[in-house]
Amino acid sequence: MSLELFTGIGLYKQISQRREEEEQRRSDMEGGESEMTTVSRHHFGDDSDRPDLSISIIENMKEDYGLFVWPCSIVLAEYVWQQRLRFAGASVVELGAGTSLPGLVAAKVGADVTLTDESNRLEVLSNMKSVIELNKLQCNVLGLTWGVWDASIFSLHPKIILGADVLYDAKAFDDLFATVAYLLQNSPGSVFITTYHNRSGHHLIEFLMVKWGLKCVKLLDAFSFMPSSKASGLSGNLQLAEIVLDSEHR
């Protein structure tokens, strides 16, 4: 099974569109400093009026990419909810977690969760702690920069690795896949579940999968499992992939 993502010239267009999306969200929040920070609520379950589970997220439209909820996070969080029996009791690490919606859903359904983002993104890491407290959950928060090998990563043995919209900057692919490959090797039988948004033309990156000894075992169109009430608010080519170590390359 092939996993397709954007590279090359599409990267410039994709990042430009991401910036445009950020600026649009900021403009939607104009009207005063107090309005830049808001709390969004995300519900899970068959009955939207009486959801089985709800998560509150502190978002800040003034800050960088890590402080508001992107569509890929909504998709991955829904997948976690639908796969909740698989997550109950599992050790979970979310990479590039930002506002951490998928990881928080995993914690709500009984997973032992560690939320991570770049070590130098102190505002994002602080927001994670506030959101954990807001939702009355217990999660670990860890500064983890992809491709940096320090004590923080050596202590992690996740059964499931989550990553929402972490595949958007081709310059970071090597560091991301190096980190994912190490975590998968550190916990035999583990899986990396990621959602991504093809914002532009894309090309095969099978060479990267081969380089890091990984393979895609499941590839889903997000709209194939999203509830209609949530799908109606999403657009674009959103996909979910499950990635594991390729036993033939061990």
Side-chain angles (χ1 to χ4, degrees):
M1 182 183 297
S2 64
L3 176 63
E4 296 183 323
L5 293 168
F6 35 81
T7 54
I9 193 169
L11 171 64
Y12 174 79
K13 296 179 181 177
Q14 185 274 331
I15 291 177
S16 295
Q17 182 171 344
R18 186 170 177 134
R19 286 173 177 162
E20 289 174 4
E21 291 171 4
E22 179 190 12
E23 290 301 322
Q24 181 61 50
R25 293 196 66 169
R26 287 179 178 176
S27 66
D28 290 343
M29 294 296 296
E30 287 180 353
E33 185 72 22
S34 63
E35 293 184 19
M36 300 306 288
T37 298
T38 185
V39 175
S40 60
R41 292 177 175 81
H42 304 265
H43 306 298
F44 302 86
D46 295 331
D47 188 345
S48 59
D49 293 326
R50 301 183 66 180
D52 296 307
L53 182 152
S54 295
I55 297 288
S56 297
I57 298 291
I58 301 170
E59 301 186 71
N60 192 319
M61 305 303 160
K62 184 181 178 182
E63 300 299 333
D64 64 10
Y65 299 150
L67 288 177
F68 52 78
V69 179
W70 289 92
C72 284
S73 293
I74 295 171
V75 171
L76 186 53
E78 179 63 30
Y79 189 74
V80 171
W81 166 250
Q82 294 183 16
Q83 300 272 317
R84 54 193 177 278
L85 295 180
R86 179 183 181 185
F87 281 82
S91 175
V92 173
V93 169
E94 184 174 0
L95 299 177
T99 52
S100 311
L101 181 59
L104 293 173
V105 173
K108 276 279 193 180
V109 300
D112 179 11
V113 176
T114 298
L115 304 172
T116 75
D117 213 302
E118 288 186 50
S119 300
N120 61 355
R121 302 180 78 183
L122 301 182
E123 184 79 14
V124 174
L125 295 171
S126 176
N127 193 65
M128 285 179 183
K129 295 175 182 178
S130 298
V131 171
I132 291 168
E133 183 178 354
L134 177 64
N135 289 280
K136 298 180 172 58
L137 290 169
Q138 291 187 339
C139 301
N140 300 312
V141 174
L142 183 66
L144 191 159
T145 301
W146 305 337
V148 174
W149 310 105
D150 56 23
S152 60
I153 193 171
F154 299 139
S155 63
L156 298 175
H157 301 272
K159 189 68 175 177
I160 301 173
I161 306 161
L162 298 175
D165 214 2
V166 292
L167 292 164
Y168 69 90
D169 184 353
K171 293 179 292 185
F173 281 178
D174 267 354
D175 288 339
L176 171 63
F177 278 109
T179 301
V180 168
Y182 173 80
L183 292 173
L184 292 174
Q185 292 165 1
N186 213 25
S187 186
S190 55
V191 61
F192 173 46
I193 306 176
T194 183
T195 49
Y196 60 94
H197 187 172
N198 285 333
R199 296 178 177 85
S200 64
H202 53 274
H203 303 279
L204 295 175
I205 60 162
E206 290 177 333
F207 67 96
L208 275 177
M209 302 289 284
V210 172
K211 174 181 178 179
W212 296 108
L214 305 173
K215 66 178 180 180
C216 179
V217 293
K218 180 183 287 188
L219 186 61
L220 299 174
D221 184 295
F223 294 97
S224 69
F225 62 85
M226 290 295 289
S228 58
S229 60
K230 294 184 179 181
S232 62
L234 302 174
S235 62
N237 185 7
L238 297 162
Q239 293 187 303
L240 178 142
E242 294 199 16
I243 296 169
V244 301
L245 288 175
D246 187 346
S247 58
E248 295 181 0
H249 290 81
R250 291 183 185 178

